[in-house]
DNA sequence: AATAGTAATGCAATTGTGTTGCATTAGAAT
DNA sequence: ATTCTAATGCAACACAATTGCATTACTATT
């Protein structure tokens, strides 16, 4: 997905060791143009690296805490992970296909929220705004049609 | 919360039997001014009714399918349930306190999305747009302050 | 009222995702 | 080499939610 991102550098800049496991987890997510579940990531990484399931979860937690990754919630019980917004990646809403479970990135202009405006109407402290569009993706629409 | 809602009527209109369990589950949610988890609901209902945990889950599934209730996702693994948008209840975003897990309803004007506009930019079929504002609620801010 | 058929519910077991505790290994610093 | 810390593995656990199957409640028909 992103030729501007050097994953090892990203990790080091965040102050964490760039271990093979971490680079591979981050690469898997960064090279994919839609968010993945922990299990998706695990299956991709273990093809080359002999990594433990738990390690994947721990790496994901770490990278979310370091604000390198973003944890997205589907309608269901599984979290999806994508690159966190940064200079190269603007914050954007996501599309979740309720039929096949695939999560997609939508383009940033399609929805616009004025956080400062919202903050004025609300006394709590706003940290993040998650926008998820649910529906049926084109693939699933096709399959239903036949 | 809502004096305009007769829960028995709502159920019958949707074409499902208005059993004591279903009325009680729906009442519990409708009388509350913020969304609740399945377990919250279970604990309220069982105080008067001797109901099984599984029955609560099944009733919730049914009422979501009938579009009477809305399933909301927090950042975490637990779903929250509130009244689905209808004539009396406009669609609105929610605030989720990442510190205490409490979910709140925000007022509809605070965020505005043009669904038709969005649909034009996107080939899939849009069924719902979920907006969740994450942050720290006033209660938790106070507690942290002392 | 008895019977049969269907819908709703209960209970036990299971699933899926994620977490914790503790042992082991790898890597860095001395 | 030795020591220290960080990263990882493995097994067990936690929790929300679901499934399969038995039981009960309800409705319609005779």
């Amino acid at each position: 997905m992103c030729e501007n991102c050097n994953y090892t550098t990203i990790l080091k800049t965040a102050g964490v060791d760039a271990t093979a496991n971490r680079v591979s987890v981050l690469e898997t997510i960064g090279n994919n143009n839609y968010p993945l579940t922990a299990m998706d990531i695990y299956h991709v990484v273990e093809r080359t690296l002999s990594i433990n399931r738990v390690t994947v979860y721990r790496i994901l937690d770490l990278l979310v805490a370091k604000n390198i990754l973003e944890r997205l919630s589907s309608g269901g019980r599984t979290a999806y992970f994508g690159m966190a917004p940064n200079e190269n990646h603007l914050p954007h809403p996501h599309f979740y296909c309720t039929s096949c479970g695939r999560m997609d990135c939508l383009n940033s202009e399609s929805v616009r929220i004025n956080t400062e405006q919202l903050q004025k109407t609300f006394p709590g402290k706003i940290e993040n705004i998650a926008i998820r569009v649910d529906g049926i993706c084109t693939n699933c629409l096709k399959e239903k049609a036949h």
Side-chain angles (χ1 to χ4, degrees), chain A:
Chain A
M1 178 195 196
C2 183
E3 291 75 27
N4 306 324
C5 291
N6 179 307
Y7 301 114
T8 303
T9 310
I10 291 178
L11 290 167
K12 285 185 181 161
T13 306
V16 304
D17 282 2
T19 65
N21 284 339
R22 289 176 181 166
V23 172
S24 178
V25 165
L26 184 52
E27 246 173 25
T28 301
I29 297 168
N31 289 341
N32 213 67
N33 59 357
Y34 54 91
L36 298 170
T37 68
M39 276 308 171
D40 291 338
I41 297 158
Y42 172 58
H43 291 311
V44 173
V45 174
E46 74 166 344
R47 286 211 296 261
T48 49
L49 220 63
S50 157
I51 192 176
N52 189 274
R53 200 172 60 88
V54 177
T55 304
V56 173
Y57 282 111
R58 284 199 270 239
I59 291 175
L60 291 171
D61 284 348
L62 175 70
L63 300 191
V64 168
K66 292 291 180 184
N67 214 34
I68 296 171
L69 294 181
E70 173 176 49
R71 185 192 309 268
L72 304 164
S73 59
S74 67
R77 273 158 299 140
T78 344
Y80 286 68
F81 296 87
M83 297 302 290
N86 59 38
E87 322 79 67
N88 299 328
H89 306 274
L90 293 175
H92 55 270
H94 293 89
F95 179 82
Y96 178 69
C97 176
T98 53
S99 168
C100 68
R102 163 101 173 237
M103 178 91 75
D104 263 309
C105 301
L106 295 180
N107 104 26
S108 330
E109 292 93 51
S110 53
V111 173
R112 192 164 293 286
I113 303 255
N114 187 332
T115 308
E116 283 130 44
Q117 176 76 24
L118 179 59
Q119 180 67 81
K120 278 181 207 155
T121 71
F122 179 75
K125 186 183 170 216
I126 295 175
E127 290 180 337
N128 185 254
I129 301 183
I131 300 171
R132 198 189 61 244
V133 179
D134 291 337
I136 313 286
C137 72
T138 41
N139 266 348
C140 289
L141 282 177
K142 256 181 252 161
E143 279 179 24
K144 283 191 180 175
H146 71 207

